[in-house]
Every structure is written in structure tokens, then in C-alpha cells.
Amino acid sequence: MLKIKIKYFTDIDPIVNIENKSDWYDLRCAEDVEMKAGEFKLIKLGIAMELPKGYEAHIAPRSSTFKNFGIIQANSVGVVDESYCGDDDQWRFPAIALRDTVIHKNDRICQFRLVEHQPAVEFERVDHLTGANRGGLGSTGKR
């Protein structure tokens, strides 16, 4: 089992694993936030971590984030690598509000999982690929 040092910047509920549900961990808003439609904010998540060497955290909205708060993640997915590990390196969620909203301290707004770095890759330039053509992006239809 990995052991990770975590610093809390405020008194939000600690990160816990919900056994047999998911290997993603919920992250919470660290302060009350009000946003107007169209506004962008970096929402503080109230934590910093020292991730193990060779790992990174992928941050994404929870499935209910838009329904509950009307926000989307500005960069679609966030990546925190193990070099972002200083005492002041608080994680944040880059949010765009699509409607006026209020997010309260301790609300669960996003989630993360740890991912090992991918191995080194060497790309070989070729004139033709050997796989079957599938018709390009979006070619599988609606159903």
C-alpha cells in the first residue's frame, strides 16, 4: 500500500476511500465560493500532497458536479505530477460557472486517482498502418 504525506490547509473532512465503490478519491471545496454565470475561478481544494516518485494524480469533476453546482472543469482534466509537492502547492479546481452558483466549504466537487507514469515511448514514422480502418473519429454512430 502506498503511503502519501498530505497537508490540509483548512478543516475540511479528510480524504477517505469508500471501499468497494471506486478507486477515485473525492476532493472538497476548501471555502465558500460564489460564482456568476460565465465566471472563472481556481477553487481551492484545501490539500497539498507529496506523491510518490513515478506517480501523478488525475483530477476530474465528479459525475454530479455540473448537476449540483453548474460548473465545469476549464481544462477538462487536471494532472498533478510528483514535482508539485511543496508546502504551499495547494491543489485547485479550475472552474467555469455556466449558471450562478454557490459552492459551500466541504462540498465534494471533484475527484482524483493516482496513475503511474507511462513508460518511455519511441515513435516510429511509417507510411502505412496495418490495422483495419474504422472510419475515423465519431464514425461509430449514435447507438
Side-chain angles (χ1 to χ4, degrees):
M1 177 177 286
L2 291 175
K3 190 173 230 178
I4 297 175
K5 292 180 183 177
I6 184 168
K7 175 184 175 179
Y8 287 89
F9 289 85
T10 185
D11 61 340
I12 56 173
D13 290 347
I15 295 173
V16 294
N17 181 6
I18 302 170
E19 288 189 44
N20 302 320
K21 294 283 184 184
S22 175
D23 59 355
W24 288 77
Y25 294 86
D26 289 342
L27 295 169
R28 297 172 180 276
C29 187
E31 60 191 0
D32 289 341
V33 173
E34 281 190 51
M35 296 179 72
K36 299 291 183 194
E39 188 176 5
F40 169 82
K41 281 193 179 172
L42 286 171
I43 299 174
K44 293 178 182 179
L45 298 174
I47 60 160
M49 291 188 209
E50 284 186 26
L51 298 178
K53 185 166 178 52
Y55 284 84
E56 60 195 29
H58 292 187
I59 301 172
R62 296 179 73 237
S63 60
S64 61
T65 297
F66 182 76
K67 175 183 67 92
N68 291 338
F69 306 109
I71 60 173
I72 58 173
Q73 187 169 349
N75 57 343
S76 300
V77 68
V79 178
V80 178
D81 66 40
E82 77 268 24
S83 71
Y84 193 71
C85 61
D87 209 35
D88 293 323
D89 288 335
Q90 181 171 186
W91 293 15
R92 298 171 192 260
F93 182 80
I96 298 172
L98 299 185
R99 66 175 187 255
D100 292 357
T101 190
V102 175
I103 306 164
H104 296 286
K105 181 178 178 179
N106 222 32
D107 283 343
R108 295 176 298 157
I109 59 170
C110 57
Q111 58 191 337
F112 81 97
R113 73 181 314 215
L114 295 179
V115 179
E116 284 189 80
H117 292 187
Q118 72 177 17
V121 176
E122 179 182 339
F123 294 96
E124 177 187 355
R125 187 177 199 142
V126 298
D127 291 326
H128 301 284
L129 301 175
T130 58
N133 284 322
R134 293 187 50 207
L137 182 66
S139 64
T140 58
K142 292 183 179 181
R143 297 183 192 256

